[in-house]
Protein backbone atom coordinates (compact mmCIF):
# COMPACT_ATOMS: atom_id res chain seq x y z
CA UNK A 1 0.00 0.00 0.00
CA UNK A 2 1.59 3.18 -1.17
CA UNK A 3 -0.64 5.38 0.98
CA UNK A 4 1.21 4.56 4.21
CA UNK A 5 3.05 7.27 6.15
CA UNK A 6 6.44 5.64 5.63
CA UNK A 7 6.04 6.18 1.89
CA UNK A 8 5.75 9.91 2.54
CA UNK A 9 8.87 9.82 4.70
CA UNK A 10 10.73 7.86 2.03
CA UNK A 11 9.61 10.32 -0.64
CA UNK A 12 11.00 13.22 1.39
CA UNK A 13 14.28 11.29 1.82
CA UNK A 14 14.29 10.66 -1.93
CA UNK A 15 13.72 14.36 -2.56
CA UNK A 16 16.53 15.28 -0.15
CA UNK A 17 19.00 13.02 -1.93
CA UNK A 18 17.89 13.34 -5.56
CA UNK A 19 16.59 16.87 -6.17
CA UNK A 20 17.81 19.21 -3.45
CA UNK A 21 21.58 18.67 -4.02
CA UNK A 22 21.17 20.33 -7.42
CA UNK A 23 19.87 23.52 -5.80
CA UNK A 24 21.95 23.83 -2.63
CA UNK A 25 25.76 24.04 -2.83
CA UNK A 26 27.86 22.03 -0.43
CA UNK A 27 30.28 24.91 0.18
CA UNK A 28 31.70 28.03 -1.44
CA UNK A 29 35.35 28.59 -2.26
CA UNK A 30 36.41 32.04 -3.48
CA UNK A 31 32.78 32.90 -4.17
CA UNK A 32 32.28 29.87 -6.44
CA UNK A 33 29.64 27.35 -5.44
CA UNK A 34 30.79 23.74 -5.06
CA UNK A 35 28.01 21.29 -5.90
CA UNK A 36 28.02 17.54 -5.39
CA UNK A 37 28.61 16.90 -9.11
CA UNK A 38 32.15 18.27 -8.87
CA UNK A 39 33.37 15.12 -7.11
CA UNK A 40 32.54 11.67 -8.42
CA UNK A 41 32.44 10.15 -4.93
CA UNK A 42 29.75 12.57 -3.73
CA UNK A 43 27.72 12.08 -6.90
CA UNK A 44 27.94 8.29 -6.54
CA UNK A 45 26.90 8.35 -2.88
CA UNK A 46 23.96 10.68 -3.53
CA UNK A 47 22.93 8.49 -6.48
CA UNK A 48 23.13 5.32 -4.40
CA UNK A 49 21.08 6.93 -1.64
CA UNK A 50 18.47 7.93 -4.20
CA UNK A 51 18.37 4.42 -5.64
CA UNK A 52 17.99 2.84 -2.19
CA UNK A 53 15.12 5.19 -1.34
CA UNK A 54 13.40 4.42 -4.62
CA UNK A 55 13.78 0.66 -4.24
CA UNK A 56 12.52 0.94 -0.68
CA UNK A 57 9.41 2.78 -1.86
CA UNK A 58 8.77 0.20 -4.57
CA UNK A 59 9.17 -2.78 -2.20
CA UNK A 60 6.21 -1.79 -0.02
CA UNK A 61 4.89 -5.39 0.11
CA UNK A 62 8.06 -6.70 1.77
CA UNK A 63 8.28 -4.77 5.03
CA UNK A 64 11.41 -6.53 6.31
CA UNK A 65 13.20 -5.85 3.03
CA UNK A 66 12.06 -2.22 3.19
CA UNK A 67 13.35 -1.96 6.77
CA UNK A 68 16.79 -3.34 5.83
CA UNK A 69 17.04 -1.00 2.84
CA UNK A 70 16.23 1.93 5.12
CA UNK A 71 19.00 0.91 7.50
CA UNK A 72 21.50 0.60 4.63
CA UNK A 73 20.44 4.01 3.37
CA UNK A 74 20.97 5.50 6.84
CA UNK A 75 24.49 4.04 6.98
CA UNK A 76 25.21 5.41 3.51
CA UNK A 77 23.99 8.87 4.50
CA UNK A 78 26.09 8.74 7.68
CA UNK A 79 29.15 7.98 5.53
CA UNK A 80 28.25 10.89 3.27
CA UNK A 81 27.81 13.18 6.27
CA UNK A 82 31.15 12.01 7.66
CA UNK A 83 32.84 12.88 4.38
CA UNK A 84 31.26 16.33 4.47
CA UNK A 85 32.37 16.93 8.05
CA UNK A 86 35.90 15.79 7.22
CA UNK A 87 35.98 18.06 4.19
CA UNK A 88 34.61 21.02 6.15
CA UNK A 89 37.23 20.58 8.85
CA UNK A 90 39.92 20.65 6.19
CA UNK A 91 38.19 23.54 4.42
CA UNK A 92 38.04 25.75 7.50
CA UNK A 93 41.79 25.47 8.03
CA UNK A 94 42.63 27.06 4.71
CA UNK A 95 44.06 30.51 5.24
CA UNK A 96 44.73 31.79 1.70
CA UNK A 97 41.32 30.73 0.42
CA UNK A 98 38.23 32.13 2.09
CA UNK A 99 35.51 29.48 2.20
CA UNK A 100 32.11 29.04 3.75
CA UNK A 101 29.86 26.07 4.28
CA UNK A 102 26.67 25.66 2.30
CA UNK A 103 23.28 24.30 3.28
CA UNK A 104 23.83 21.29 1.02
CA UNK A 105 26.10 19.74 3.64
CA UNK A 106 23.06 19.17 5.86
CA UNK A 107 20.96 17.30 3.29
CA UNK A 108 22.11 13.88 4.56
CA UNK A 109 20.81 14.86 8.02
CA UNK A 110 17.35 15.52 6.58
CA UNK A 111 17.51 12.20 4.79
CA UNK A 112 18.62 10.33 7.93
CA UNK A 113 15.80 11.82 10.01
CA UNK A 114 13.21 10.88 7.39
CA UNK A 115 14.63 7.35 7.12
CA UNK A 116 14.50 6.91 10.90
CA UNK A 117 10.85 7.99 10.91
CA UNK A 118 10.10 5.66 7.99
CA UNK A 119 11.76 2.71 9.72
CA UNK A 120 9.81 3.46 12.89
CA UNK A 121 6.54 3.38 10.91
CA UNK A 122 7.59 0.17 9.10
CA UNK A 123 8.36 -1.46 12.46
CA UNK A 124 4.98 -0.35 13.78
CA UNK A 125 3.23 -1.91 10.76
CA UNK A 126 5.20 -5.12 11.16
CA UNK A 127 4.30 -5.34 14.84
CA UNK A 128 0.64 -4.76 14.00
CA UNK A 129 0.64 -7.56 11.43
CA UNK A 130 2.38 -9.92 13.88
CA UNK A 131 -0.16 -9.14 16.61
CA UNK A 132 -3.06 -9.80 14.25
CA UNK A 133 -1.46 -13.09 13.20
CA UNK A 134 -1.23 -14.14 16.84
CA UNK A 135 -4.95 -13.61 17.31
CA UNK A 136 -5.87 -15.98 14.49
Amino acid sequence: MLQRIQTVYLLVALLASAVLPYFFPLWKVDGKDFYFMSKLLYAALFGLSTALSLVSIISYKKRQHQFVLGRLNMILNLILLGLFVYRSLNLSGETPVVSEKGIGMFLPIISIVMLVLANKAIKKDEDLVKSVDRLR
Side-chain angles (χ1 to χ4, degrees):
M1 295 191 294
L2 288 175
Q3 66 266 23
R4 297 184 301 182
I5 189 68
Q6 58 261 34
T7 305
V8 174
Y9 293 142
L10 289 170
L11 280 173
V12 173
L14 179 80
L15 180 77
S17 64
V19 178
L20 293 180
Y22 286 102
F23 296 109
F24 297 116
L26 298 176
W27 48 78
K28 292 181 182 184
V29 178
D30 286 335
K32 282 177 40 178
D33 291 339
F34 183 83
Y35 289 94
F36 78 101
M37 292 116 11
S38 301
K39 276 231 96 105
L40 182 63
L41 178 65
Y42 299 149
L45 289 175
F46 269 118
L48 192 57
S49 176
T50 302
L52 282 174
S53 292
L54 188 63
V55 169
S56 184
I57 290 171
I58 291 171
S59 65
Y60 60 90
K61 290 183 180 179
K62 303 173 187 170
R63 285 178 300 276
Q64 284 299 106
H65 185 67
Q66 198 176 25
F67 190 79
V68 170
L69 286 175
R71 287 261 171 108
L72 286 174
N73 203 351
M74 279 188 266
I75 292 169
L76 181 70
N77 279 303
L78 281 172
I79 291 170
L80 190 59
L81 186 63
L83 286 173
F84 289 159
V85 168
Y86 175 75
R87 176 69 180 156
S88 73
L89 290 176
N90 285 342
L91 207 77
S92 64
E94 299 173 358
T95 53
V97 178
V98 177
S99 60
E100 67 182 57
K101 283 72 173 171
I103 191 99
M105 287 182 59
F106 300 107
L107 291 177
I109 294 174
I110 296 169
S111 194
I112 289 169
V113 168
M114 289 297 128
L115 289 167
V116 165
L117 290 173
N119 273 0
K120 195 178 214 184
I122 292 167
K123 179 83 168 122
K124 188 177 175 182
D125 279 356
E126 187 67 27
D127 291 343
L128 180 67
V129 168
K130 284 181 182 178
S131 71
V132 169
D133 283 344
R134 272 195 305 256
L135 293 175
R136 289 184 190 179

